[in-house]
Amino acid sequence: MKKSIFLVLAIFGTTFSVAQNADKAKALLDDVYHKVSGYENIYVDFKHVLNNAEAKVNSETRGDVTLKGDKYLFNYLGSQQLYDGKKVYTVVPENEEVTIEDRLEDENSVTPSKMLTFYRSGHTYQWDILQNRQGRKIQYVKLTPIDTNTEIASILLGIDVETKHIYKLIQTGKNGTTTTITVNSFKTDQPLSETLFTFDESKYKNEGYYIIRN
């Protein structure tokens, strides 16, 4: 009888601890969201590493994105993507090509405008490890997708405890691929050109780019 009571107490204690950790994780993510929502604009310079040991894939690239509300200017892999609030413009200089299309409305897709807020829904949360990175305390939160059909197994989100800014994202796929994004620079409320999020189609036509409308 005593063993049964102790077992019940142990299970209850474990469940309570897990719930507490989930609440702590959600509270920290809420702090991150409220912090980034208070900025007029955000500029992020980042390093992107893709690794899959089994497939012998290991690549490292850099990119940057400027965000203002839903609008964004995204530079990555030699291409540029612009969203002006209505259309998405993808410029590929290597192919001298511009693709113009409507914004994707897939809730599961992480667009540049969602990259600092995607964690707010569709996941369960778990408090993870605390690391010290050159004097900065980085608290990790583990996100597990609720949708079991997704190709993502889990995401570790590293958050600077002091600034409440995202420092690192480590995404593990069910196929063993690990994608790591590390923030090199995070700037807020920068002076921006009034035309930064305006696409000049005539400029690319004059340069001989092929315009594709989807």
Side-chain angles (χ1 to χ4, degrees):
M1 180 66 178
K2 285 184 178 179
K3 287 184 179 180
S4 298
I5 292 174
F6 287 141
L7 179 60
V8 171
L9 290 174
I11 294 172
F12 176 78
T14 301
T15 303
F16 181 70
S17 177
V18 170
Q20 273 192 320
N21 284 341
D23 289 342
K24 281 171 59 180
K26 186 178 184 305
L28 180 57
L29 293 177
D30 285 344
D31 286 343
V32 173
Y33 173 73
H34 292 307
K35 189 70 177 287
V36 299
S37 296
Y39 297 128
E40 180 69 20
N41 60 68
I42 297 171
Y43 169 82
V44 179
D45 175 87
F46 61 89
K47 179 175 72 173
H48 178 279
V49 178
L50 184 70
N51 182 269
N52 186 313
E54 185 177 343
K56 296 181 180 180
V57 174
N58 186 34
S59 65
E60 180 177 320
T61 53
R62 298 180 74 125
D64 65 78
V65 61
T66 301
L67 305 162
K68 184 176 182 180
D70 282 340
K71 298 178 181 180
Y72 62 79
L73 180 63
F74 181 48
N75 296 294
Y76 183 63
L77 292 175
S79 300
Q80 184 178 85
Q81 190 172 88
L82 168 71
Y83 178 58
D84 63 3
K86 295 180 180 178
K87 297 282 186 180
V88 177
Y89 307 86
T90 303
V91 182
V92 184
E94 184 179 359
N95 300 336
E96 294 189 336
E97 184 178 280
V98 176
T99 303
I100 304 174
E101 55 194 335
D102 292 329
R103 180 184 180 183
L104 296 175
E105 296 297 336
D106 183 1
E107 292 183 359
N108 295 320
S109 63
V110 180
T111 62
S113 56
K114 291 181 182 178
M115 66 185 300
L116 296 176
T117 59
F118 75 92
Y119 50 80
R120 298 206 75 214
S121 62
H123 305 86
T124 60
Y125 309 121
Q126 183 180 337
W127 197 254
D128 212 272
I129 62 171
L130 176 67
Q131 291 185 339
N132 190 303
R133 285 288 178 265
Q134 298 178 334
R136 299 168 64 188
K137 291 183 178 180
I138 308 298
Q139 176 63 56
Y140 282 86
V141 171
K142 184 177 182 180
L143 286 69
T144 303
I146 295 172
D147 181 4
T148 56
N149 293 320
T150 180
E151 295 301 316
I152 300 171
S154 65
I155 298 172
L156 278 172
L157 208 56
I159 298 162
D160 188 311
V161 173
E162 183 178 351
T163 64
K164 300 298 189 295
H165 292 164
I166 295 174
Y167 165 71
K168 182 173 285 190
L169 179 150
I170 305 170
Q171 176 180 293
T172 302
K174 292 178 180 177
N175 64 352
T177 300
T178 300
T179 304
T180 303
I181 298 174
T182 305
V183 174
N184 296 317
S185 177
F186 191 102
K187 299 178 182 179
T188 62
D189 298 338
Q190 301 294 295
L192 301 179
S193 166
E194 292 183 0
T195 60
L196 184 64
F197 302 107
T198 301
F199 180 73
D200 186 356
E201 185 173 338
S202 61
K203 169 192 170 184
Y204 291 98
K205 282 184 176 179
N206 292 337
E207 293 179 1
Y209 275 64
Y210 183 58
I211 310 295
I212 303 171
R213 299 180 186 275
N214 291 339

